[in-house]
Amino acid sequence: MQGAQLKKHIDATLGSGNLREAVRLPPGEDLNEWLAVNTVDFFNQVNLLYGTLTEFCTPENCPTMTAGPKYEYRWADGVQIKKPIEVSAPKYVEYLMDWIESQLDDESIFPQKLGAPFPPNFKEVVKTIFKRLFRVYAHIYHSHFQKIVSLKEEAHLNTCFKHFILFTCVSLLLLYG
């Protein structure tokens, strides 16, 4: 299947309400292609979910990117910012979304042409993207869940998060046995 067909498969299986089916690699599909299509989807989902909170997740309300007192996330992209720096949650998410977008737009990492090879480090790039997207979910749940409830978005958030976690777990099994 090509990317567009994989996207249709994801949408069709998600619509069925069976998340376990939605995260399963379709028979005969290329794992890297499946990871790529889902990475774009998860990026878009997290971007939209966080976007509903931007008026509440401010540098004043969230001066550091945290998910409770034991989890503080510092930003480093390894290129412009090599040493992790403390930033506000909105600044962290801004840096993250810009960084992910630059990865997705880089055809040497996420090839757009059918049959173009994925780089040898592709799975590591996806793993890093997923790890960092998880941090946004963690921050939303820890710092903004009451606001999510008041906006009546908790069912959507929970479904997106469950899909993300199931996909991540299935992917890890496929990647690492």
Side-chain angles (χ1 to χ4, degrees), residues 95-169:
Y95 279 144
L96 174 60
M97 295 306 168
D98 288 349
W99 177 80
I100 293 174
E101 196 164 9
S102 73
Q103 304 302 299
L104 297 177
D105 290 345
D106 184 340
E107 291 207 26
S108 71
I109 301 172
F110 283 82
Q112 300 299 312
K113 293 182 180 76
L114 186 60
F118 287 87
N121 69 332
F122 179 71
K123 292 171 181 79
E124 289 305 310
V125 172
V126 169
K127 195 168 113 179
T128 301
I129 290 171
F130 283 6
K131 176 178 71 177
R132 291 176 173 181
L133 286 175
F134 176 84
R135 294 172 178 177
V136 179
Y137 275 116
H139 177 73
I140 290 171
Y141 274 107
H142 178 266
S143 301
H144 302 292
F145 190 70
Q146 289 311 312
K147 184 49 70 178
I148 291 285
V149 170
S150 73
L151 294 170
K152 300 188 180 343
E153 293 178 359
E154 72 271 20
H156 182 65
L157 171 66
N158 290 339
T159 300
C160 290
F161 184 60
K162 184 176 179 182
H163 179 212
F164 177 76
I165 292 299
L166 283 171
F167 185 85
T168 303
C169 290

